[in-house]
Amino acid sequence: MAYEVHIDVFDGPFDLLLRLIAAQQVDVYEVRLADIVDAFLTEMRRLGTLDLELATQFLLVAATLVELKCRRLLPGSGEVDLDDDLALFEARDYLLARLVECKTFSAAASVLALLERSAQRSLARRAGPDERFDRCAPDLLAGVTPEQLAAVAERAFAARPLEPSYVPYPSGEDVSVHATIEELVSSLPGRGRVSFRVLTAGAASPAHVVACFLALLELYKQSLVDLEQSETFGELTVVWSARGPVEPADVVSDAYDAAELEAASAGMAGRRVVPRAGSGRATPVGATVPQRTPGPTDAGGAR
Amino acid sequence: MNSLSPDLRGDAAAIEAVLIVATEPVATSLLAELLEVSGERVEHVCASLSASYEEEERGFELARVAGGYRFQSHPAYRGHVERFVVDDAPQRLSPAALETLAIVAYKQPISRAQVAAIRGVNADGVIRVLQSRGYVEPVGRDGGPGQAVLFGTTQLFLERLGIDSTGDLPPLGQFVPDVSTVEALEHVLRTGPVPTADAEE
Amino acid sequence: MNSLSPDLRGDAAAIEAVLIVATEPVATSLLAELLEVSGERVEHVCASLSASYEEEERGFELARVAGGYRFQSHPAYRGHVERFVVDDAPQRLSPAALETLAIVAYKQPISRAQVAAIRGVNADGVIRVLQSRGYVEPVGRDGGPGQAVLFGTTQLFLERLGIDSTGDLPPLGQFVPDVSTVEALEHVLRTGPVPTADAEE
């Protein structure tokens, strides 16, 4: 069952519209996405129930249209060409793999739910030893004074420190540029020439590669490394070029908030990209600012 | 249930199920209510069950204590249980347990949810440990819709700490927000700022 | 212990005594140490004991959970137990939480980013919830540049699901959609909706 759209430039199945646009038979420029979405929502409301299959298909096609339209609207991007078309198909293969994985785990989740439900039909015994054994149980409060208890209570009741504001990468992974800089500062010297590919060979996710790249740019800016690249998209070579020993803290405090660095090196705020408050540093394209707690670091930060 | 007469088996099994999950002796009247039988019937079934465990040389027994019934280990296996209690018991309270105990001591009566709101993490497991150690106990129920169990500290807690009453605990030096303030704060932390007159400025 | 063979009775009773005072599953190795017998012996006795309770239609059962043994109420008496225990039921997990839990359970150790890659959405919030409920915990760090925290499931997770180890979960392969489903998905992605059988004819 396909969802049909009725707009000025096209009348028919929604996914056909996508294919016509890809084949350049309809100009995506002429397609008003807002109208399509409005019409779809109206239709959904009319039906009263959510057809998940239909909604998912709609989302997929609509998202692809948004992407195509963005490319068309952004200055410098040319016509939708064959490469983009291929990329679209690659994206779909990726999407397929993801869908299969998703289906697999949602089926597994339903089995966990079944196990949980059946386990809940029984309740475990939690009574513990009765009073006859009180004297064998060691006195767990031995050595604890009322004053210590009061101190613990004060700590517990004290306002919890607010989370530092942060901007996660779109991948959802929080990756610390600080930590990466620190790591590079300690590992690069004496290593000679090393390619970016080698540096990021063990990266857990694309976000880690990006963090490594940002860290290198920071080091480059401070003339601590030289970067060489003989051709566009060619191998990027990194050489440590600093004279004399360098402390990680010296490097990082220039670009990032020193307090955050301390927190990060103490392992508390690890793996986060923390733009220095008030630096006016632009957030990465596509990054979203999550709902977060108001804090002092917000004063001049993200807007 | 071989050694029990057939007409008792169904009720006996239901009593076993309830007593196995109970953490305190269960009153005859409550068992009667749960099983929808008379108190005499409960006493009769429990007496038979208790005798059958004895006869079958079980490691546990059904004991009548404080007006109710409970499962407990058989005195014959006291050595094993003692070794288990000594070996298995953690030797000190964990920091989480100590923090929870401090919260209960100063804020009693307090529900699990309120403790969790102050600590920022679920406190059920820790409260269970403290309860099994006899440092905290249920002291009542909240009047609200969920009728949450409220906890307070025990006589044992006072004894171990060497004080006569919770009034002897040192006063906290700073302003301590009450539970509802902490919950409101928690809510704000999770969901973003609540617009107030102050915030508008 | 009528339905148990005489050579098992002594050890069985000692195990009963220990388990009746335990607040969490007792590991086979600890029971073996307490009884001064082998682990195999403990497993053999427990299996026989468990079977005898079932046969005797007891209200409790001896369950093997999270690498140990525990007493729990028999599912048949769930109604009685639920009426008795009012507030102890832990909250149900949301579908998102269950799916994330499934991913962690099958793919552990796994980082937040890897979970997010599978789920297609940020998983930080859900993982935090699972962590605060005690179902997942950090188990190590990734070797890569970012040193991502890796998560695994906990003992409590096993207890909650009533299973002995994650090895008891059904193999993941059995949840992979079958070929025709995959083909249908692929077809939808490439060309739009699948023509139904009726439409073909």
Side-chain angles (χ1 to χ4, degrees):
Chain A
M1 147 177 71
Y3 175 67
E4 304 229 334
V5 286
H6 308 282
I7 49 175
D8 292 347
V9 293
F10 177 80
D11 211 28
F14 191 29
D15 43 41
L16 180 61
L17 174 62
L18 181 66
R19 272 184 287 159
L20 292 178
I21 289 170
Q24 297 182 37
Q25 290 175 22
V26 172
D27 188 353
V28 69
Y29 204 73
E30 305 284 323
V31 176
R32 287 171 51 90
L33 293 177
D35 291 350
I36 295 178
V37 173
D38 283 345
F40 181 73
L41 290 178
T42 310
E43 177 69 6
M44 286 286 104
R45 261 179 232 123
R46 193 186 64 76
L47 289 175
T49 57
L50 178 66
D51 180 339
L52 202 57
E53 192 101 339
L54 192 64
T56 312
Q57 280 171 26
F58 181 84
L59 264 185
L60 173 68
V61 177
T64 315
L65 276 183
V66 169
E67 195 187 335
L68 289 176
K69 189 146 183 171
C70 285
R71 286 193 211 164
R72 180 79 166 74
L73 291 175
L74 285 175
S77 67
E79 291 296 304
V80 175
D81 60 18
L82 192 62
D83 281 352
D84 288 336
D85 228 12
L86 283 176
L88 206 62
F89 280 117
E90 273 172 25
R92 287 180 187 183
D93 280 342
Y94 177 63
L95 196 62
L96 176 67
R98 279 256 300 267
L99 278 175
V100 169
E101 208 166 27
C102 261
K103 269 194 178 296
T104 303
F105 281 105
S106 56
S110 62
V111 168
L112 291 198
L114 272 179
L115 282 172
E116 187 195 24
R117 214 165 304 147
S118 91
Q120 276 181 1
R121 292 189 292 138
S122 296
L123 214 65
R125 179 163 178 85
R126 307 257 182 225
D130 58 68
E131 66 286 340
R132 293 173 298 166
F133 299 96
D134 277 355
R135 55 166 197 80
C136 340
D139 177 9
L140 297 184
L141 283 175
V144 176
T145 64
E147 287 70 29
Q148 284 171 343
L149 198 73
V152 171
E154 290 199 7
R155 246 197 333 271
F157 294 135
R160 282 169 198 281
L162 298 174
E163 294 258 304
S165 61
Y166 66 95
V167 180
Y169 281 92
S171 75
E173 169 76 328
D174 296 338
V175 182
S176 168
V177 178
H178 314 304
T180 316
I181 288 179
E182 278 185 83
E183 207 176 280
L184 291 173
V185 167
S186 56
S187 68
L188 278 179
R191 212 171 150 186
R193 301 165 63 84
V194 50
S195 76
F196 184 67
R197 196 179 301 277
V198 169
L199 271 184
T200 54
S205 70
H208 288 97
V209 178
V210 174
C212 186
F213 188 72
L214 289 177
L216 283 175
L217 287 183
E218 200 58 55
L219 294 173
Y220 179 74
K221 214 170 78 189
Q222 301 187 30
S223 309
L224 298 174
V225 298
D226 273 337
L227 300 177
E228 293 165 15
Q229 191 174 33
S230 52
E231 56 181 320
T232 315
F233 300 125
E235 194 81 21
L236 183 66
T237 310
V238 183
V239 192
W240 184 255
S241 61
R243 289 167 217 288
V246 176
E247 285 301 313
D250 301 338
V251 183
V252 187
S253 60
D254 185 63
Y256 297 93
D257 191 38
E260 296 299 349
L261 172 68
E262 271 178 40
S265 48
M268 291 157 65
R271 304 169 50 265
R272 281 183 178 155
V273 177
V274 186
R276 185 172 54 174
S279 68
R281 186 172 290 253
T283 50
V285 174
T288 52
V289 179
Q291 204 175 45
R292 60 209 160 84
T293 58
T297 51
D298 271 354
R303 54 217 83 211
Chain B
M1 271 192 225
N2 300 335
S3 59
L4 218 57
S5 82
D7 67 305
L8 300 180
R9 288 183 192 178
D11 286 346
I15 289 174
E16 284 180 329
V18 170
L19 294 185
I20 207 78
V21 304
T23 52
E24 316 261 318
V26 183
T28 310
S29 56
L30 180 53
L31 285 172
E33 203 179 301
L34 288 168
L35 271 70
E36 294 169 6
V37 297
S38 70
E40 291 72 40
R41 168 78 179 176
V42 169
E43 286 181 358
H44 176 56
V45 174
C46 285
S48 313
L49 205 45
S50 178
S52 76
Y53 292 153
E54 197 61 42
E55 186 197 320
E56 292 157 17
E57 294 174 10
R58 298 270 166 200
F60 49 74
E61 56 185 12
L62 184 63
R64 191 179 170 118
V65 261
Y69 293 94
R70 76 170 177 207
F71 276 119
Q72 62 183 39
S73 57
H74 192 281
Y77 297 95
R78 182 183 180 148
H80 288 96
V81 174
E82 281 182 356
R83 253 181 294 152
F84 171 70
V85 171
V86 173
D87 281 0
D88 191 45
Q91 297 299 303
R92 307 188 56 179
L93 280 182
S94 67
L98 193 61
E99 186 182 285
T100 303
L101 186 58
I103 291 169
V104 174
Y106 278 92
K107 288 280 158 187
Q108 56 190 311
I110 187 172
S111 71
R112 290 187 182 90
Q114 289 167 330
V115 173
I118 294 173
R119 291 195 55 221
V121 293
N122 183 309
D124 296 6
V126 179
I127 290 181
R128 199 165 60 220
V129 169
L130 292 173
Q131 202 180 348
S132 80
R133 287 286 156 196
Y135 298 146
V136 306
E137 64 189 353
V139 292
R141 274 180 189 276
D142 192 76
Q147 302 235 323
V149 177
L150 299 175
F151 289 87
T153 51
T154 61
Q155 191 62 33
L156 180 69
F157 165 80
L158 296 175
E159 283 168 21
R160 291 285 154 90
L161 224 57
I163 53 177
D164 284 334
S165 80
T166 50
D168 292 347
L169 286 169
L172 298 186
Q174 59 185 72
F175 165 68
V176 175
D178 62 23
V179 169
S180 63
T181 310
V182 171
E183 274 175 343
L185 189 68
E186 173 81 356
H187 185 73
V188 171
L189 289 179
R190 284 196 198 286
T191 60
V194 174
T196 62
D198 295 347
E200 304 281 61
E201 291 166 37
Chain C
M1 268 188 234
N2 300 335
S3 60
L4 216 59
S5 82
D7 68 305
L8 299 180
R9 289 185 191 176
D11 287 345
I15 289 173
E16 285 180 329
V18 170
L19 294 186
I20 210 79
V21 305
T23 53
E24 48 190 68
V26 182
T28 310
S29 57
L30 181 55
L31 286 173
E33 207 178 293
L34 288 167
L35 270 70
E36 294 170 5
V37 298
S38 71
E40 290 74 39
R41 168 79 179 173
V42 169
E43 285 180 2
H44 176 57
V45 173
C46 286
S48 312
L49 203 47
S50 178
S52 77
Y53 292 153
E54 195 64 41
E55 186 197 318
E56 291 157 20
E57 294 175 8
R58 298 271 168 202
F60 50 74
E61 53 186 17
L62 182 65
R64 186 176 173 116
V65 175
Y69 293 93
R70 75 173 180 205
F71 275 120
Q72 62 186 34
S73 59
H74 194 285
Y77 296 94
R78 176 192 184 184
H80 291 93
V81 170
E82 274 177 0
R83 260 179 288 154
F84 173 67
V85 183
V86 270
D87 67 319
D88 218 28
Q91 251 179 306
R92 277 271 161 82
L93 289 171
S94 70
L98 270 173
E99 195 182 298
T100 303
L101 199 50
I103 293 169
V104 176
Y106 280 100
K107 294 270 179 182
Q108 57 189 313
I110 186 170
S111 71
R112 291 187 184 88
Q114 289 166 329
V115 173
I118 293 175
R119 292 199 55 225
V121 292
N122 185 310
D124 296 8
V126 181
I127 290 182
R128 211 173 307 130
V129 168
L130 291 173
Q131 205 179 346
S132 78
R133 302 270 293 266
Y135 297 148
V136 307
E137 62 189 355
V139 293
R141 274 181 185 275
D142 192 83
Q147 303 235 320
V149 178
L150 299 175
F151 290 86
T153 52
T154 62
Q155 199 72 4
L156 186 65
F157 164 79
L158 298 175
E159 286 185 42
R160 182 72 194 273
L161 254 55
I163 55 174
D164 195 27
S165 77
T166 49
D168 285 358
L169 291 171
L172 190 59
Q174 106 183 37
F175 303 119
V176 176
D178 58 27
V179 176
S180 62
T181 310
V182 174
E183 276 174 357
L185 275 175
E186 188 174 15
H187 195 74
V188 168
L189 287 179
R190 285 195 190 287
T191 62
V194 196
T196 57
D198 322 316
E200 304 252 316
E201 274 144 9

